[in-house]
Amino acid sequence: MRLDIAKKAVAVGLGLALLAGCGGDGEQAADGPVELSFWAWAPNIDKVVDKWNATHPDAKVVVSKQAQGDDLVTKLLTSAKGGNPPDLAQVEYQSLPTLVSNDVLADISEGAASAKDKFAPGIWDQVTLGGSGVYGVPQDSGPMMFYYRADLFEQYGLKAPATWDEYAQTARDLRAKAPDKFLGTFSSNDPGWFAGLVQQAGGSWWSVDGDAWKVSVDDAATKKVAQYWSGLIAEGAVDKAPMYTPEWNKALNDGTQIGWLSAVWAPGVLQGNAESTLGKWAMAPMPQWDASKPRTGNWGGSTTAVTAGSKKQKAATEFAIWLNTDPAAVEALVTESAVYPAATSGQEAVSKPPAFFPNQPDFYTQAAKIAATSSGFTWGPNVNVTYTAYKNSMGEAITAGTDLVSVLTKMQTATVDDMKANGFTVGG
């Protein structure tokens, strides 16, 4: 089934043009060197691009450093509306549908589909939006893992939980042995974290059913995750303090929090927020719902996308593929930009463990195996609305001591209402 959400936007009268295919009518003739503008935020990405420029004199890429997240989405929407978008942009996975539905990004399937085998299926699914189009080349990913204080686990006679049942019991055992400590926390201000847990459980919040969107924020998998954490919070087995606060940082430093469900980029955060615990942490796969079918979700990650307004889509697509699949380019992304590459070959090539994990030399070997189990997920055109509903309602539910499942209804309603208000057809 092809997901042509831009075409649907035209159908509902939003005045948007159909997506331009790679090498479409607006393609600039290959008459002399071309210059490609590239909006990105990854640190030192310009040093990686220098390698392209040194070997591709016919297509010079010029980097413009930008803020990420919603700020970049807003800027891309504005530039496209004004008729002056960049040729390429670094775009987070969850932002792709918003930009595609507003005719900002090009379908580059003609030039990029051959790169599919370079990535885990679950990662590639996120740039196709569940259809045959390709709206970006995966750049980096954030497979989720479980981090724990190995020294304190040994002190309290604990082992890394392999299943969610074991995680719950480990949390209870820790509280019984050390009432001042927690195995983890449920964070009401991190919808991306929650979405990653839902992905692992098999949930997918958006899909296409015929000519209509289907929204499933309150599906069975999401309810299972919410019910699980509701139970742990109610019995006091886990903390309920938000992440990324001074209090949370202190808890990581002083051993109050001895576990963290996070992503492959966690070592950098731990180094910045809990420097005194260097060498005391270990990484293990996420606890599983079904240990015989290991899966993980993704928290974070981005793509290199080509804009629909670019007159140089063919050259831009070639650069996007090179940046994220060429061995030298991917190695430079790792060493210069400190990203975890989405390309499978790049993940397998990373061998030296993070500086914060000198005690786990096989860190990236294990990370590559975990990344290969990434679940697919289709993002929708208003992820920001869903995330805002999460942040507005989860904290209230936790404070009131109510079941977190009730929040899913609010997230579902907010998401559907916003899509309908913006002209999308949403089915039941």
Side-chain angles (χ1 to χ4, degrees):
M1 181 184 302
R2 191 176 194 289
L3 177 58
D4 197 348
I5 54 180
K7 187 175 182 179
K8 289 180 177 61
V10 174
V12 297
L14 295 183
L16 304 176
L18 289 171
L19 289 178
C22 178
D25 295 339
E27 188 74 21
Q28 183 186 59
D31 183 18
V34 298
E35 183 171 298
L36 302 169
S37 53
F38 180 27
W39 289 4
W41 74 80
N44 298 319
I45 190 74
D46 50 325
K47 294 182 179 179
V48 185
V49 172
D50 285 346
K51 294 182 178 297
W52 164 275
N53 288 335
T55 54
H56 296 77
D58 292 335
K60 180 182 179 181
V61 176
V62 179
V63 175
S64 175
K65 292 291 186 66
Q66 303 288 331
Q68 64 187 97
D70 291 344
D71 289 342
L72 180 60
V73 171
T74 299
K75 195 167 183 179
L76 283 169
L77 290 168
T78 302
S79 66
K81 187 176 181 180
N84 59 347
D87 297 295
L88 300 121
Q90 185 179 356
V91 176
E92 292 171 296
Y93 293 101
Q94 69 267 25
S95 297
L96 289 175
T98 298
L99 296 172
V100 172
S101 64
N102 282 282
D103 199 27
V104 176
L105 301 183
D107 176 359
I108 57 172
S109 55
E110 182 179 336
S114 60
K116 176 181 178 180
D117 293 343
K118 303 290 186 181
F119 307 94
I123 294 298
W124 187 257
D125 283 350
Q126 296 194 52
V127 299
T128 67
L129 312 188
S132 59
V134 177
Y135 301 99
V137 179
Q139 181 166 306
D140 62 303
S141 64
M144 293 185 72
M145 303 152 179
F146 176 59
Y147 295 87
Y148 62 99
R149 281 283 300 272
D151 58 331
L152 295 179
F153 263 52
E154 181 178 1
Q155 178 179 335
Y156 296 117
L158 306 175
K159 65 177 184 178
T163 67
W164 286 112
D165 283 344
E166 291 182 9
Y167 180 91
Q169 190 56 50
T170 303
R172 297 180 188 114
D173 291 345
L174 174 63
R175 296 287 289 160
K177 295 177 180 179
D180 62 331
K181 300 186 185 303
F182 290 101
L183 182 61
T185 189
F186 182 90
S187 186
S188 61
N189 62 354
D190 287 287
W193 173 80
F194 183 72
L197 295 178
V198 170
Q199 291 172 36
Q200 192 220 15
S204 188
W205 289 346
W206 289 270
S207 59
V208 172
D209 185 6
D211 293 330
W213 281 93
K214 183 176 181 180
V215 180
S216 307
V217 178
D218 58 352
D219 65 6
T222 309
K223 288 178 178 175
K224 179 170 69 174
V225 174
Q227 285 173 335
Y228 176 84
W229 286 96
S230 286
L232 291 181
I233 293 170
E235 64 179 281
V238 296
D239 198 4
K240 51 189 178 183
M243 299 174 192
Y244 297 111
T245 64
E247 293 76 15
W248 182 73
N249 293 342
K250 180 179 182 298
L252 290 178
N253 264 303
D254 65 17
T256 300
Q257 291 276 349
I258 73 168
W260 186 25
L261 296 160
S262 187
V264 68
W265 39 259
V269 176
L270 291 172
Q271 186 166 6
N273 296 0
E275 187 177 5
S276 65
T277 61
L278 187 153
K280 296 180 179 179
W281 292 81
M283 180 271 284
M286 286 272 280
Q288 298 292 317
W289 293 105
D290 182 349
S292 68
K293 300 176 181 177
R295 304 177 63 159
T296 194
N298 271 278
W299 185 12
S302 65
T303 71
T304 307
V306 177
T307 63
S310 172
K311 302 298 184 184
K312 314 155 194 170
Q313 291 180 10
K314 182 178 180 181
T317 301
E318 290 173 355
F319 169 74
I321 294 173
W322 174 88
L323 179 65
N324 300 301
T325 65
D326 180 87
V330 175
E331 180 181 358
L333 281 174
V334 174
T335 57
E336 298 289 355
S337 299
V339 305
Y340 186 68
T344 304
S345 61
Q347 295 170 355
E348 293 171 346
V350 181
S351 57
K352 187 178 179 181
F356 207 67
F357 283 67
N359 53 319
Q360 195 164 3
D362 67 342
F363 182 97
Y364 282 118
T365 301
Q366 294 302 316
K369 293 179 180 177
I370 293 169
T373 69
S374 295
S375 301
F377 195 80
T378 300
W379 297 100
N382 60 344
V383 176
N384 60 322
V385 173
T386 312
Y387 277 15
T388 297
Y390 175 97
K391 288 188 280 191
N392 288 342
S393 301
M394 277 295 182
E396 293 177 1
I398 289 173
T399 300
T402 56
D403 195 313
L404 301 183
V405 175
S406 63
V407 175
L408 305 183
T409 302
K410 297 179 180 178
M411 292 169 65
Q412 172 80 8
T413 300
T415 305
V416 171
D417 288 352
D418 177 76
M419 290 180 70
K420 289 181 176 178
N422 282 284
F424 291 95
T425 302
V426 182

